[in-house]
Amino acid sequence: MEDALKIGGKELENRLFIGTGKFSDNRLMEEAIRRSGAQVVTVALRRIDFESSQENILQYVPHECILMPNTSGARNAGEAVRIARVAKASGCGNWVKIEVVPDHKYLLPDNDETVKATEILAGEGFAVFPYINPDLITAKKLKDAGAAAVMPLGAPIGTNRGLETREMIRILINEIALPVIVDAGIGKPSEAAQAMEMGAAAVLVNTAIATAQDPAAMAAAFDLGIKAGRRAYLAGPAATRERAEASSPLTGFLGRE
Amino acid sequence: MGYYDDVYSRYRNFDFDTFFRNVTAADVPAALTRERHSAEDFLTLLSPAAGNHLEEMAQKAHHLTVRNFGRVIFLFTPIYLSDYCENQCAYCGFNVGNPFARKKLNLQELEEEARRIAETDLKHVLILTGESRQYSPPSYIRECVQVLKKYFSSISVEIYPLDTEEYGELVTAGVDGLTIYQEVYHEKRYDQVHLAGPKKNFHYRLDAPERGCRAGMRAVTVGPLLGLDDWRREVFFAGIHADYLQNRHWNVEIGLSFPRFRPHAGDFRPARAVDNRSFIQALLASRLFLPRAGITVSTREDSVLRNHILPLGVTKMSAGSSTEVGGRLEARRQPSQFEIADHRTVGEMKETLLQKGYQPIFKDWHTV
């Protein structure tokens, strides 16, 4: 596979991850996942009804996708760890996205508790994908703790504001030897493309797809945006310049030694 | 310390009428354009002048709600455990003065009712009792929770106010949510409609949501009972109560609800009936002031209104409700606490939501 993303013991061709929280209908969600080509789908364990006689969100996640249960609702490391264990015991595989989001106003994550949960779960053999506020030191600790990737937010969840945290994410991409997956805040395919051009390994999108007028069409658009951004990154974008380059360089007189 | 001293007292003697009179037509769009709304903006949005801007408010409320919650509605149903009550609340069917044979569910009856609800696939329940430490003490409620845990993934309580320690014991037993309505935020009016009984203690009730937060509840919902006093003021006090709780207890999910007075056994009629326009304005202003707060609308509202308000900021709805003890059992009927207005079954509710472009969510919590 050319340019595969090797992550959590798998190889992925598609670099769009999809969140499932906000769709108006599970059938629409399934269609959006299929049209996007996404291979990784995250589902909140709190939303999975393993006993339902009628409907279970997992029925609508295409079988070929990797399921990444998330710990939405966890207020601390202990709760995240317990949710992850329930997910694994219920047959949801060994990938887990850690969400420790005690703040209810902006839904911002608790980085310290996220590191603690990652240490424990990575030790138990999970492929751990922690959702964080983009912070270099936290990311370094997550690397040491055995995380499979880091998932910094581009902007607060649901805001569709794009890459508000661009500089911090750039630092993570430069400094952390783990895939950096931009998660939350991405509102448009062009913003997903920008994240990929910067060298992000993948992008996770939920709100922007689920709440679009046509979720499946928007999912397909994100797929294209992410592919374009990735190709641009691989092509090595030309440096941007603030003004035109002088035709007579100021140091031309130095010649070559 | 607490909501009363820190926030409520600042507005206790506030001249709401003058404030509302002074809100000009230009103030409302100005408040609407701000990204975050202050308490004063909230009051502006509750003013009579803002009543002319409901469509603009609705557009903004709709976008905020979709962004923050998605196109989903969380469903739950109430279970009435006991209608024994020591209080004389002028507006309530369980009033101790209403002569009827009281009932409390035994654990076998509760299990049967739970089984019937579970067949509808609902996973979140709200249990209710009248105020009687003799017939429905916290120990009885905890026993009931043990039964319900086998069938449901989230159990909330709407019961008489408890001490922090007692709330903590409920949390340990498996309760994760607390709903407690102040009913009336206006102190004098509160005293007038609560004729006798332990509920006369305004402050003990007012501080109950905060005690629930301290005791480790995951979600706490507050609100007034609309119809007992001026709705603009009541909704304002409830909104700033929710805001206070969310700021102070940032790891608790704070929600709001504004049940409207409904007919019940007894001859009480609301002093300040709240019409649909006003109800919608209350809903919209609250969504704009508290963009992340869950807002519950129960079956007190009829199906037509509940269908129309789906895009306007509501996030939680009850379904398949009964407001009488053992209402889902075959046994003899008990008087209801109030008459419900939306009689749709859970299945019908689910179909309507899907038709309207909203996903019904049956399960949104997993106690671990």
Side-chain angles (χ1 to χ4, degrees):
Chain A
M1 203 186 303
E2 208 182 316
D3 186 36
L5 170 57
K6 294 191 182 69
I7 194 164
K10 311 263 186 185
E11 284 199 12
L12 304 176
E13 204 171 344
N14 190 292
R15 291 168 182 265
L16 169 59
F17 291 16
I18 285 199
T20 54
K22 293 177 172 172
F23 287 90
S24 62
D25 190 320
N26 282 331
R27 280 159 283 268
L28 268 180
M29 178 187 88
E30 182 177 9
E31 196 194 339
I33 296 170
R34 289 194 188 284
R35 287 277 296 281
S36 73
Q39 292 170 281
V40 178
V41 175
T42 186
V43 179
L45 181 89
R46 67 196 280 184
R47 290 271 176 96
I48 304 175
D49 186 351
F50 294 104
E51 294 142 18
S52 169
S53 57
Q54 301 174 25
E55 192 150 307
N56 178 340
I57 189 169
L58 296 183
Q59 293 162 356
Y60 297 90
V61 176
H63 293 303
E64 59 274 23
C65 290
I66 298 166
L67 186 64
M68 181 161 74
N70 70 61
T71 65
S72 164
R75 291 170 294 185
N76 52 52
E79 288 183 354
V81 166
R82 290 200 291 278
I83 292 170
R85 286 173 183 159
V86 170
K88 195 176 185 180
S90 309
C92 292
N94 77 325
W95 282 32
V96 65
K97 180 182 169 206
I98 304 290
E99 291 184 17
V100 181
V101 180
D103 157 58
H104 285 279
K105 262 195 169 175
Y106 302 95
L107 303 186
L108 292 172
D110 183 330
N111 282 0
D112 294 343
E113 292 293 305
T114 303
V115 171
K116 282 185 211 160
T118 302
E119 277 168 358
I120 296 167
L121 293 170
E124 294 180 10
F126 281 89
V128 182
F129 295 78
Y131 168 61
I132 56 166
N133 228 319
D135 171 70
L136 177 64
I137 310 308
T138 301
K140 282 181 185 284
K141 289 178 181 172
L142 288 169
K143 167 88 172 79
D144 293 344
V150 290
M151 304 186 75
L153 58 92
I157 291 177
T159 58
N160 291 344
R161 285 173 187 258
L163 285 171
E164 293 277 345
T165 59
R166 181 188 307 267
E167 284 314 303
M168 296 304 125
I169 287 177
R170 196 189 302 280
I171 290 169
L172 297 192
I173 291 169
N174 290 344
E175 301 299 326
I176 302 296
L178 282 177
V180 173
I181 302 167
V182 177
D183 177 7
I186 300 292
K188 296 191 277 294
S190 57
E191 292 156 359
Q194 286 171 32
M196 297 305 293
E197 284 166 11
M198 282 164 56
V203 172
L204 190 148
V205 182
N206 179 12
T207 308
I209 292 174
T211 67
Q213 290 296 320
D214 183 343
M218 187 57 85
F222 266 100
D223 178 40
L224 293 173
I226 286 165
K227 287 197 164 88
R230 178 65 186 173
R231 286 207 201 171
Y233 171 74
L234 293 175
T240 53
R241 298 174 201 284
E242 292 202 353
R243 52 179 76 184
E245 210 158 317
S247 51
S248 314
L250 298 177
T251 52
F253 69 95
L254 288 172
R256 301 199 127 224
E257 305 237 333
Chain B
M1 282 297 114
Y3 168 62
Y4 189 84
D5 290 333
D6 291 0
V7 183
Y8 185 100
S9 59
R10 269 192 268 149
Y11 294 97
R12 194 168 48 150
N13 297 316
F14 186 79
D15 187 348
F16 287 92
D17 292 336
T18 303
F19 180 92
F20 286 140
R21 249 196 324 275
N22 290 338
V23 176
T24 67
D27 289 339
V28 180
L32 264 176
T33 53
R34 280 189 275 280
E35 196 183 342
R36 294 201 66 78
H37 300 293
S38 64
E40 191 172 308
D41 288 341
F42 183 36
L43 211 43
T44 300
L45 297 172
L46 289 168
S47 70
N52 300 321
H53 296 267
L54 290 190
E55 183 55 31
E56 294 118 283
M57 288 169 69
Q59 292 293 342
K60 190 171 178 189
H62 173 62
H63 288 295
L64 271 175
T65 310
V66 169
R67 226 179 63 182
N68 289 333
F69 295 90
R71 297 181 196 277
V72 305
I73 295 286
F74 304 101
L75 295 178
F76 70 97
T77 204
I79 302 178
Y80 281 72
L81 299 178
S82 164
D83 51 26
Y84 286 93
C85 194
E86 297 165 18
N87 290 316
Q88 279 187 45
C89 308
Y91 50 85
C92 178
F94 291 172
N95 186 324
V96 67
N98 286 344
F100 67 92
R102 306 279 165 157
K103 179 170 173 64
K104 111 179 189 188
L105 293 182
N106 63 40
L107 298 183
Q108 289 73 31
E109 290 168 325
L110 176 63
E111 181 127 20
E112 181 53 30
E113 181 141 343
R115 214 176 278 138
R116 291 182 186 203
I117 294 169
E119 282 168 7
T120 67
D121 272 346
L122 285 175
K123 288 286 166 184
H124 291 212
V125 290
L126 174 68
I127 56 180
L128 299 93
T129 67
E131 176 150 13
S132 171
R133 283 187 176 260
Q134 187 187 345
Y135 291 99
S136 52
S139 56
Y140 164 71
I141 296 166
R142 291 198 303 272
E143 286 170 21
C144 291
V145 169
Q146 295 316 310
V147 172
L148 296 171
K149 267 160 77 169
K150 292 188 273 180
Y151 297 91
F152 305 107
S153 66
S154 167
I155 301 164
S156 299
V157 292
E158 186 181 333
I159 57 173
Y160 52 90
L162 301 179
D163 294 338
T164 309
E165 197 181 311
E166 292 170 323
Y167 281 133
E169 287 164 0
L170 285 181
V171 170
T172 307
V175 170
D176 63 281
L178 167 67
T179 292
I180 184 154
Y181 298 117
Q182 184 59 26
E183 324 284 18
V184 191
Y185 278 90
H186 191 283
E187 263 180 291
K188 269 194 197 143
R189 185 76 186 130
Y190 183 94
D191 202 53
Q192 288 165 1
V193 295
H194 298 105
L195 306 168
K199 198 166 173 177
K200 270 198 102 58
N201 190 337
F202 177 85
H203 287 270
Y204 186 65
R205 191 172 187 88
L206 192 67
D207 288 334
E210 182 147 33
R211 292 198 296 276
C213 291
R214 287 207 188 94
M217 290 285 176
R218 174 182 67 86
V220 171
T221 300
V222 297
L225 176 58
L226 294 185
L228 300 178
D229 200 47
D230 176 53
W231 70 269
R232 300 178 203 277
R233 246 185 355 214
E234 289 291 306
V235 170
F236 175 73
F237 277 113
I240 59 174
H241 194 181
D243 186 50
Y244 162 85
L245 291 169
Q246 192 66 87
N247 288 331
R248 185 69 70 91
H249 302 280
W250 48 273
N251 60 355
V252 182
E253 196 180 305
I254 304 296
L256 256 186
S257 184
F258 338 94
R260 271 199 289 188
F261 176 82
R262 292 283 304 155
H264 67 101
D267 53 10
F268 180 84
R269 291 293 168 265
R272 308 285 194 100
V274 178
D275 63 13
N276 282 352
R277 267 191 95 79
S278 305
F279 182 75
I280 300 293
Q281 188 177 346
L283 173 69
L284 298 174
S286 300
R287 166 54 67 231
L288 297 174
F289 180 55
L290 301 163
R292 294 268 183 195
I295 297 182
T296 306
V297 176
S298 76
T299 55
R300 282 172 182 267
E301 301 302 333
D302 64 32
S303 57
V304 176
L305 185 92
R306 294 220 302 171
N307 285 354
H308 280 303
I309 61 174
L310 288 173
L312 303 185
V314 55
T315 56
K316 280 185 200 170
M317 286 184 163
S318 49
S321 298
S322 160
T323 64
E324 59 202 77
V325 174
R328 298 172 183 89
L329 305 176
E330 261 102 30
R332 100 193 127 72
R333 310 301 279 186
Q334 285 296 109
S336 58
Q337 191 194 18
F338 58 87
E339 290 174 17
I340 62 176
D342 185 345
H343 296 276
R344 284 176 289 187
T345 64
V346 175
E348 288 164 349
M349 195 65 205
K350 178 178 158 183
E351 284 315 308
T352 307
L353 288 172
L354 286 169
Q355 277 166 20
K356 301 265 172 203
Y358 283 80
Q359 185 184 172
I361 303 277
F362 288 76
K363 178 172 177 288
D364 190 44
W365 188 243
H366 198 101
T367 304
V368 287

